[in-house]
């Protein structure tokens, strides 16, 4: 993982390629609050925001799959519901509706916030969650309706839940502090899909067609084969290649500016990563993964020669990425640019030769040799001396 000091936090996310996750280096503060906030921000958001206008279409889609709607008076999606939605990804579809969406609120008779409603699917009526808003309580409730556990839970009586009608009686809720604590404790579980145990039925009677055999008293048991003997035709496991550590990620705007856009910073190679893509844009995700793998190998070779890091990835959630794309008139896809704030120039990788290691090495070597045209950085993109000094002071923080 390329860990060189402690404490080190790396955020690992699944990618389109199995076995090759996306690894981001945390570059933020070292206080407990800073780290918890960073982990919460990195939790995948599988909760769809629904308005009155789009509610019916969302309800009509995939009616055979259970759905859960969180009615909230907050404009943002909390860490707890993001964690729970990720745990049930593929088994329960989650949505969040704001209290100002009056048609949806009246349709389900919501009187208090937050309120969680489950639609089991098919013709079954919706059910209002009546427990406390903690992960354990919500999981106990949602397990009854998750698609992978329906067959097992159908044989067990469900716990009584509150009928979904417009009543003045509020549902039981936990304080905001309890929700925050549960979200913090559960944040790490958001980077992997939770799998539920499947109950299997075992028949007590002998299966149809089975035969019984009784050994005579004189019969001798045969010797079991030696488990340590490996047959000659057994294929050998494939050797796993050594992967280069991922390049550092500049996840916040302040780090992008301090590392590459300050008056005294020299050459930086930046990989501007696109937003999360769907299956129709799989080639875009493949290009991004290939570019990151190629840059990681190049950076590793440079590091072995004793050089300082100069290749960084910039995730889409970095607020400075959008400003950089707009200023340099870049596309919304994967973009590679070399910037030198001290000398005021930049150069964009055109991508005609693909994102393989050889193609990117040739591009970097050409820049080192001064080949090709360089463009001037637009005014206002590089911080002035006062801003740079101010940002340096803001970076100081307490130790963990």
């Amino acid at each position: 993982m390329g860990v060189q000091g402690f404490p080190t936090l790396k955020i690992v996310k699944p990618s389109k390629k199995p076995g090759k996750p996306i690894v981001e280096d945390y570059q933020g503060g070292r206080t407990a609050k800073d780290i918890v906030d960073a982990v919460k921000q990195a939790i995948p958001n599988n909760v769809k925001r629904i308005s009155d206008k789009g509610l019916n279409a969302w309800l009509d889609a995939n009616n055979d799959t259970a759905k859960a709607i969180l009615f909230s008076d907050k404009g943002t999606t909390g860490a707890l519901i993001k964690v729970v939605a990720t745990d049930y990804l593929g088994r329960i579809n989650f949505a969040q509706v704001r209290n100002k969406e009056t048609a949806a609120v009246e349709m389900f008779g919501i009187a208090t916030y937050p309120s969680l409603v489950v639609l089991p699917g098919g013709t079954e009526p919706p059910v209002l969650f009546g427990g406390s808003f903690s992960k354990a309580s919500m999981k106990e409730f949602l397990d009854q309706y998750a698609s992978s556990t329906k067959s097992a839970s159908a044989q067990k009586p469900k716990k009584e839940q509150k009928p979904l009608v417009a009543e003045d009686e509020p549902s039981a809720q936990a304080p905001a502090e309890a929700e925050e604590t549960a979200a913090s404790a559960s944040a790490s579980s958001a980077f992997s899909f939770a799998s539920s145990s499947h109950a299997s039925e075992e028949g007590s009677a002998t299966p149809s067609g089975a035969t019984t055999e009784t050994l005579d008293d004189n019969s001798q048991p045969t010797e079991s084969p030696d488990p340590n003997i490996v047959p000659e035709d057994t294929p050998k496991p494939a050797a796993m290649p050594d992967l280069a550590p991922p390049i550092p990620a500049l996840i916040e705007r302040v780090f992008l500016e301090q590392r590459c856009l300050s008056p005294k910073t020299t050459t930086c190679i930046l990989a501007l990563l696109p937003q999360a893509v769907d299956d129709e844009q799989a080639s875009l995700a493949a290009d991004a993964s290939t570019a990151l793998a190629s840059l990681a190998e190049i950076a590793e070779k440079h590091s072995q020669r004793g050089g300082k890091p100069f290749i960084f990835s910039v995730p889409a959630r970095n607020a400075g990425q959008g400003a950089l794309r707009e200023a340099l008139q870049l596309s919304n896809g994967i973009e590679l640019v070399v910037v030198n704030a001290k000398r005021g120039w930049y150069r964009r990788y055109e991508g005609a030769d693909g994102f393989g290691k050889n193609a990117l090495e040739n591009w970097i070597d050409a820049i080192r040799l001064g080949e090709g045209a360089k463009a001037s950085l637009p005014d206002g993109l590089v911080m002035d001396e006062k801003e740079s000094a101010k940002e340096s002071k803001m970076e100081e923080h307490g130790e963990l």
Side-chain angles (χ1 to χ4, degrees):
M1 297 291 285
V3 177
Q4 299 179 352
F6 301 92
T8 293
L9 176 65
K10 291 181 179 286
I11 299 175
V12 183
K13 299 180 179 180
S15 67
K16 294 289 184 179
K17 292 187 176 181
K20 292 186 177 181
I22 299 173
V23 181
E24 296 179 357
D25 286 344
Y26 172 67
Q27 303 286 350
R30 289 297 186 267
T31 65
K33 183 179 183 303
D34 290 333
I35 293 178
V36 169
D37 289 344
V39 172
K40 286 182 180 179
Q41 186 179 7
I43 298 173
N45 188 0
N46 295 297
V47 182
K48 186 175 180 62
R49 303 292 294 275
I50 299 293
S51 63
D52 287 341
K53 184 178 180 180
L55 178 61
N56 288 334
W58 184 78
L59 292 174
D60 292 340
N62 301 321
N63 193 37
D64 56 337
T65 302
K67 296 181 175 69
I69 307 176
L70 177 69
F71 290 87
S72 174
D73 55 0
K74 297 179 180 179
T76 57
T77 303
L80 175 59
I81 191 64
K82 289 197 293 184
V83 169
V84 173
T86 301
D87 285 348
Y88 288 92
L89 188 62
R91 297 182 291 151
I92 298 179
N93 296 327
F94 280 77
Q96 180 169 330
V97 174
R98 188 79 183 273
N99 60 335
K100 64 181 182 180
E101 305 296 336
T102 55
V105 170
E106 292 176 0
M107 178 186 295
F108 291 94
I110 302 301
T112 57
Y113 302 94
S115 288
L116 180 65
V117 175
V118 166
L119 291 81
T123 59
E124 296 186 44
V127 182
L128 178 65
F129 173 56
S132 63
F133 278 86
S134 65
K135 187 182 179 186
S137 180
M138 294 171 70
K139 182 179 184 301
E140 182 181 2
F141 171 70
L142 294 169
D143 276 348
Q144 302 174 78
Y145 307 100
S147 59
S148 63
T149 59
K150 277 185 179 179
S151 59
S153 63
Q155 303 175 15
K156 301 179 181 179
K158 296 180 181 179
K159 293 187 176 181
E160 292 186 1
Q161 301 295 337
K162 295 185 178 181
L164 187 58
V165 294
E167 298 178 349
D168 294 332
E169 181 182 355
S171 60
Q173 301 177 29
E177 292 80 1
E179 179 180 352
E180 184 71 15
T181 303
S184 301
S186 307
S188 60
S189 68
F191 299 101
S192 63
F193 298 157
S195 59
S196 299
S197 301
H198 292 253
S200 60
E201 298 181 356
E202 296 181 359
S204 59
T206 303
S208 175
T211 60
T212 60
E213 181 178 357
T214 304
L215 295 177
D216 296 334
D217 293 339
N218 296 329
S219 63
Q220 298 295 327
T222 58
E223 183 179 1
S224 299
D226 189 345
N228 296 320
I229 298 178
V230 179
E232 294 181 358
D233 58 349
T234 301
K236 296 182 179 180
M240 297 297 294
D242 294 331
L243 299 178
I247 58 177
L250 306 178
I251 62 176
E252 296 183 15
R253 182 170 192 160
V254 60
F255 301 116
L256 172 63
E257 294 173 341
Q258 289 177 352
R259 289 291 189 114
C260 302
L261 297 178
S262 295
K264 296 182 180 180
T265 55
T266 54
T267 303
C268 285
I269 297 179
L270 300 176
L272 307 183
L273 304 180
Q275 293 277 2
V277 296
D278 54 29
D279 293 339
E280 296 180 357
Q281 297 171 300
S283 60
L284 183 61
D287 287 343
S289 298
T290 302
L292 289 176
S294 301
L295 291 174
E297 293 187 46
I298 297 172
E300 174 69 3
K301 184 187 297 185
H302 178 76
S303 175
Q304 291 175 352
R305 294 197 295 260
K308 295 182 179 180
F310 72 105
I311 305 177
F312 306 97
S313 66
V314 185
R317 71 172 183 266
N318 185 322
Q321 192 203 99
L324 188 60
R325 287 183 186 270
E326 182 179 358
L328 303 184
Q329 297 182 348
L330 304 176
S331 70
N332 292 326
I334 174 69
E335 288 280 2
L336 305 183
V337 291
V338 178
V339 298
N340 189 310
K342 186 175 182 179
R343 298 184 179 275
W345 60 264
Y346 78 97
R347 183 172 174 183
R348 175 179 178 265
Y349 179 64
E350 299 298 334
D353 298 326
F355 294 91
K357 177 186 174 185
N358 291 337
L360 297 188
E361 273 189 321
N362 292 337
W363 175 61
I364 295 173
D365 290 341
I367 295 174
R368 286 173 174 168
L369 296 174
E371 300 176 0
K374 299 172 183 176
S376 298
L377 286 171
D379 294 336
L381 194 60
V382 179
M383 294 191 302
D384 57 32
E385 294 286 351
K386 292 183 179 179
E387 289 178 340
S388 179
K390 181 179 179 181
E391 294 290 352
S392 298
K393 290 183 179 180
M394 290 176 61
E395 185 184 17
E396 297 177 0
H397 45 69
E399 295 185 359
L400 179 65

